[in-house]
Amino acid sequence: QPLTNREQLAKSEGPCAREHKFMFSDCGTALRRRNVYVLAQQFHERARELAPDDEHVLFNLARVLYERGKTDKARECLAMSVEMAPDFQAGKDFLAFLEGTARS
């Protein structure tokens, strides 16, 4: 089955710079909001390849993993994001939610 234009873009080898993480991450977020989770995950994974140390990229990847029912992998991404940036409140809150300790 041929790849769609979006799938081709998500798998594109480049040339890409670290700054392109925003494009991939924004596309992934838009796709997640439209419940296109598999493709959204591909875009977030591509953003992570470009910026492996960006806590926001990991958070966005965790969101789509959670939506796909991959809670353990989502938790791993969130733990890494909080380890990278201990003050990253969104990451801490989502991790607490997944661990069942979210504040009411």
Side-chain angles (χ1 to χ4, degrees):
Q1 177 177 352
L3 296 176
T4 65
N5 288 340
R6 289 181 189 157
E7 290 170 325
Q8 288 174 342
L9 180 59
K11 295 176 185 288
S12 171
E13 290 297 318
C16 290
R18 180 178 170 85
E19 293 77 29
H20 291 120
K21 71 180 179 181
F22 298 112
M23 175 188 67
F24 287 103
S25 193
D26 288 349
C27 287
T29 298
L31 289 163
R32 179 185 55 79
R33 289 178 180 155
R34 289 170 177 77
N35 304 323
V36 185
Y37 300 128
V38 173
L39 190 52
Q41 182 178 341
Q42 291 174 357
F43 273 89
H44 288 305
E45 287 173 346
R46 185 68 173 110
R48 184 164 182 228
E49 289 172 13
L50 296 170
D53 58 344
D54 187 305
E55 68 273 13
H56 298 310
V57 169
L58 281 165
F59 176 84
N60 288 328
L61 179 57
R63 292 277 314 261
V64 76
L65 288 168
Y66 173 76
E67 294 294 341
R68 294 196 62 206
K70 299 174 183 273
T71 307
D72 288 341
K73 288 185 179 185
R75 190 177 292 115
E76 288 174 24
C77 287
L78 291 168
M80 285 189 282
S81 75
V82 171
E83 184 176 316
M84 288 177 194
D87 294 329
F88 182 43
Q89 194 60 48
K92 292 192 307 188
D93 290 346
F94 192 20
L95 186 57
F97 168 76
L98 293 182
E99 293 177 346
T101 60
R103 289 181 244 140
S104 301

